[in-house]
Amino acid sequence: VYLEESGGGSEQSGGSLTLSCVTSGYNSNPYCMGWFRQAPGKEREGVAIISRLETTNYAGSVKGRFTISRDNAKKTLSLQMNNLKPEDTATYYCAATMTNTCLSLLSKAGDGMDYWGKGTLVTISS
């Protein structure tokens, strides 16, 4: 399974960015896909997660500002990020798992996600 993120970059506080993740290498869509991030000097944390049934879960710090979506036909995952803040600065990773567990994986900082992209850097200036 291959995942590749794009869409990162630099933005000012209050701005918007959309991250995309293109996936390949599987016949059945992953049960669970999500976005995780790691800021310099900090541990990785869950940002948003979505199941094959399109149920979602968000970290409290991004709820109401970020929207996760997936297109199973196109095998893509997206993260629309609005009202960005300097504390959103991090490398963002797309991840997936075929196992039948999803929403609870958000709080596990990615433990349980089997496949990962290489990440895309998001930098938000004040």
Side-chain angles (χ1 to χ4, degrees):
V1 178
Y2 178 77
L3 297 85
E4 183 174 5
E5 305 92 341
S6 63
S10 298
E11 183 59 74
Q12 291 189 335
S13 181
S16 298
L17 285 172
T18 300
L19 303 184
S20 297
C21 176
V22 177
T23 71
S24 63
Y26 53 84
N27 292 322
S28 298
N29 283 305
Y31 184 81
C32 187
M33 302 182 73
W35 291 97
F36 298 81
R37 68 186 181 187
Q38 187 165 20
K42 295 187 176 181
E43 294 185 353
R44 187 175 63 198
E45 63 175 353
V47 176
I49 206 161
I50 184 168
S51 74
R52 188 188 298 159
L53 302 178
E54 300 193 12
T55 54
T56 59
N57 195 13
Y58 293 91
S61 60
V62 307
K63 194 172 292 185
R65 300 189 297 122
F66 291 10
T67 302
I68 189 171
S69 60
R70 63 189 288 174
D71 187 325
N72 291 327
K74 295 181 178 179
K75 296 185 176 181
T76 59
L77 179 72
S78 298
L79 185 69
Q80 175 65 44
M81 306 186 294
N82 298 326
N83 191 21
L84 285 160
K85 303 177 180 181
E87 51 263 43
D88 294 320
T89 294
T91 298
Y92 284 71
Y93 298 91
C94 170
T97 179
M98 298 296 183
T99 58
N100 196 18
T101 301
C102 195
L103 301 187
S104 63
L105 295 181
L106 185 73
S107 63
K108 297 182 179 180
D111 288 348
M113 303 301 279
D114 298 315
Y115 308 104
W116 292 84
K118 294 183 178 180
T120 185
L121 179 63
V122 171
T123 304
I124 308 301
S125 58
S126 58

